[in-house]
């Protein structure tokens, strides 16, 4: 209902106003190996982004950058113990925040560095549709953002992983 939405909106504003992004990110750094805690924290960070307000979203993304969320996210993608849900949510958030123009491409380098681990995870779990979708999302993002030429992925024998993911996800093109 409308009252509940107002309370949630007020709570989210408080999180932003009282340096909550830095606090949440700091807690995430202290508990990197705790997949469940990471999923909850990522869900809260997602809620802070109001995609209907471009200025709000850019302000939140700037705070994500300042809090070190991008390097933390790439470390989470590298964890062998992360669940496919965490991998998916982190990949999606990472791609969204990197796609918002901040005039600073220095954050993209962190994502490029984790591409080998993303490929490894995709190879390790070839039947996990969620993992395949998340990995493909990251690979597409680094190519679209111009950080990794598509030919580099092809030359790095990533083509087998990408083609397998596309075949798996072909049944639902909207899921990509």
């Amino acid at each position: 209902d409308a009252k509940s939405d107002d309370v949630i909106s007020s709570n989210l504003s408080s999180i932003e106003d009282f340096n909550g992004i830095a606090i949440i990110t700091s807690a995430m750094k202290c508990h990197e190996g705790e997949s469940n805690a990471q999923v909850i924290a990522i869900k809260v960070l997602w809620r802070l982004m109001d995609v209907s307000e471009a200025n709000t979203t850019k302000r939140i993304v700037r705070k994500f950058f300042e809090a070190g969320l991008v390097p933390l996210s790439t470390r989470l993608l590298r964890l062998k113990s992360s669940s496919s849900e965490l991998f998916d949510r982190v990949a999606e958030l990472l791609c969204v925040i990197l796609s918002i123009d901040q005039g600073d491409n220095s954050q993209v380098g962190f994502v490029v560095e984790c591409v080998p681990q993303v490929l490894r995870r995709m190879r390790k779990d070839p039947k996990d549709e969620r993992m395949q979708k998340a990995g493909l999302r990251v690979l597409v993002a680094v190519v679209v953002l111009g950080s990794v030429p598509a030919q580099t992925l092809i030359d790095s024998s990533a083509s087998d992983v990408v083609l397998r993911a596309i075949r798996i996800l072909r049944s639902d093109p909207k899921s990509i």
Side-chain angles (χ1 to χ4, degrees):
D1 67 4
K3 186 175 181 178
S4 177
D5 289 343
D6 288 342
V7 170
I8 291 172
S9 180
S10 174
N11 289 342
L12 293 174
S13 292
S14 294
I15 289 171
E16 180 188 355
D17 293 343
F18 294 105
N19 203 27
I21 293 170
I23 293 167
I24 291 169
T25 305
S26 178
M28 290 173 71
K29 290 175 184 174
C30 291
H31 302 282
E32 286 185 23
E34 299 290 333
S35 281
N36 291 336
Q38 297 294 343
V39 168
I40 292 167
I42 290 291
K43 286 179 180 181
V44 170
L45 294 175
W46 260 114
R47 294 294 303 265
L48 292 171
M49 291 182 34
D50 181 359
V51 293
S52 65
E53 288 287 327
N55 289 334
T56 301
T57 302
K58 284 186 176 188
R59 187 177 69 249
I60 296 296
V61 168
R62 193 174 322 107
K63 289 184 179 191
F64 286 170
F65 286 168
E66 291 167 2
L69 185 62
V70 173
L72 170 63
S73 296
T74 59
R75 285 196 306 274
L76 293 174
L77 289 177
R78 289 181 176 136
L79 285 178
K80 293 177 183 174
S81 63
S82 68
S83 65
S84 60
E85 179 183 13
L86 176 61
F87 193 88
D88 180 40
R89 290 185 184 276
V90 169
E92 187 173 13
L93 181 63
L94 199 53
C95 292
V96 169
I97 65 177
L98 289 176
S99 69
I100 296 171
D101 183 22
Q102 294 290 314
D104 174 15
N105 284 341
S106 64
Q107 303 290 313
V108 178
F110 291 108
V111 182
V112 172
E113 290 174 14
C114 79
V115 166
Q117 287 85 3
V118 169
L119 291 169
R120 206 169 301 125
R121 288 293 299 269
M122 290 174 75
R123 283 188 178 106
K124 181 180 170 236
D125 299 312
K127 295 195 185 322
D128 186 335
E129 191 171 313
R130 191 173 204 168
M131 183 74 68
Q132 297 301 312
K133 179 174 74 173
L136 195 55
R137 187 180 298 123
V138 170
L139 297 176
V140 167
V142 294
V143 170
V144 169
L145 292 170
S147 302
V148 174
Q151 191 61 43
T152 302
L153 287 179
I154 293 167
D155 292 344
S156 70
S157 72
S159 58
D160 66 314
V161 176
V162 173
L163 290 174
R164 185 176 334 116
I166 290 170
R167 282 187 205 107
I168 290 170
L169 301 173
R170 188 181 325 185
S171 62
D172 183 15
K174 293 177 188 173
S175 71
I176 297 178

